[in-house]
Amino acid sequence: MSLRSTARSKASRTRRSNGWKRSRFNVPGTGRLRADRLRTLAADVICLSLAGNDHNVLGLFEHSAPFTLGDLPDDGLDRVRIPDCVMRSQLEHRMRPVVERTRPVHRIVADRQIVHICPPPPDPDAAHMEADPKLFGDIVHRGVAPDPLRLRLYRLQCAIARRLAGKSGATFLPPPGQGCNDAGFLARDCRNDDPTHANARYGRLVTDQLADLEWHMQ
């Protein structure tokens, strides 16, 4: 089994009127491919990188009504305290459309190894994110949310993704250890120039993980 035969796909949009068969997946070297044509790929391993930004949408920058989660310590602000189970349900609701679109993929390529790649952890550098907020420019004035809150949101999402991968019979690939700092945030040398993505170094660490994973799957 060769890493070269690994096709990495990322879910895109679905036209409601045509159902899941109209779902498009970005496949490097192949372009945009309909879900029902994934079986034509000469690949032993299908890697899905899905729904990675929901934790950022909910809590990268402060909400208009600042909140905190579960048993996180107070930070002196008047925050709404939301139980972890409630936020978990909200994340599951946000992730459900992508999950539903990928269910047929698991059936179509049931003879291949499927890997769900965990999104990169949040960036701990507030100044870096505020300097170039990209799509979050209209709310950057609220300030970056507290580190413990952002990390809790990320870990809740990862736990959901891990469970969904298991239910689908897929392998869940956690973030690479070298791509994280001691606290579990994105390592400084792995951050990109925007608030939510990792860089090419992080990508190489993930491909190293995949190579090692393939070795054990042979």
Side-chain angles (χ1 to χ4, degrees):
M1 188 177 296
S2 170
L3 186 60
R4 292 181 180 178
S5 66
T6 300
R8 183 180 181 184
S9 57
K10 186 171 183 178
S12 185
R13 65 182 179 274
T14 299
R15 295 181 182 177
R16 293 182 181 177
S17 60
N18 293 304
W20 67 267
K21 288 186 178 181
R22 290 294 185 182
S23 295
R24 294 293 197 275
F25 289 78
N26 295 327
V27 182
T30 305
R32 294 171 66 79
L33 201 64
R34 266 176 50 167
D36 56 342
R37 294 179 181 171
L38 287 175
R39 62 168 59 91
T40 65
L41 291 174
D44 300 310
V45 180
I46 305 293
C47 297
L48 300 176
S49 178
L50 306 167
N53 235 358
D54 290 297
H55 66 100
N56 284 318
V57 171
L58 292 174
L60 176 59
F61 288 93
E62 289 279 25
H63 194 272
S64 56
F67 67 91
T68 188
L69 291 177
D71 58 355
L72 291 178
D74 291 327
D75 61 358
L77 295 181
D78 184 19
R79 296 181 179 275
V80 176
R81 188 168 294 275
I82 300 174
D84 284 346
C85 61
V86 174
M87 184 56 70
R88 185 181 300 111
S89 295
Q90 174 65 14
L91 281 165
E92 289 173 341
H93 175 74
R94 292 185 61 89
M95 295 167 67
R96 187 172 297 122
V98 172
V99 172
E100 290 300 322
R101 290 206 299 270
T102 60
R103 290 190 194 281
V105 174
H106 288 82
R107 293 196 295 270
I108 292 169
V109 291
D111 59 330
R112 325 285 179 88
Q113 178 69 36
I114 300 178
V115 178
H116 288 197
I117 300 175
C118 185
D123 185 349
D125 190 342
H128 173 250
M129 291 181 284
E130 290 173 343
D132 192 5
K134 302 294 186 188
L135 296 177
F136 296 89
D138 58 338
I139 60 172
V140 66
H141 64 278
R142 298 176 186 167
V144 174
D147 285 357
L149 172 59
R150 294 190 296 118
L151 195 59
R152 177 69 63 87
L153 284 167
Y154 173 71
R155 287 175 172 169
L156 284 173
Q157 178 170 329
C158 291
I160 294 168
R162 182 186 292 274
R163 187 178 74 253
L164 292 173
K167 289 176 64 176
S168 301
T171 298
F172 179 78
L173 194 72
Q178 289 180 283
C180 307
N181 66 17
D182 291 341
F185 286 93
L186 186 67
R188 184 179 180 85
D189 61 354
C190 288
R191 71 185 188 188
N192 199 26
D193 60 355
D194 69 277
T196 63
H197 293 90
N199 61 16
R201 168 173 163 71
Y202 185 90
R204 286 192 293 272
L205 293 173
V206 172
T207 56
D208 288 345
Q209 281 182 293
L210 289 169
D212 185 60
L213 187 65
E214 284 193 305
W215 174 262
H216 290 297
M217 290 190 298
Q218 290 186 36

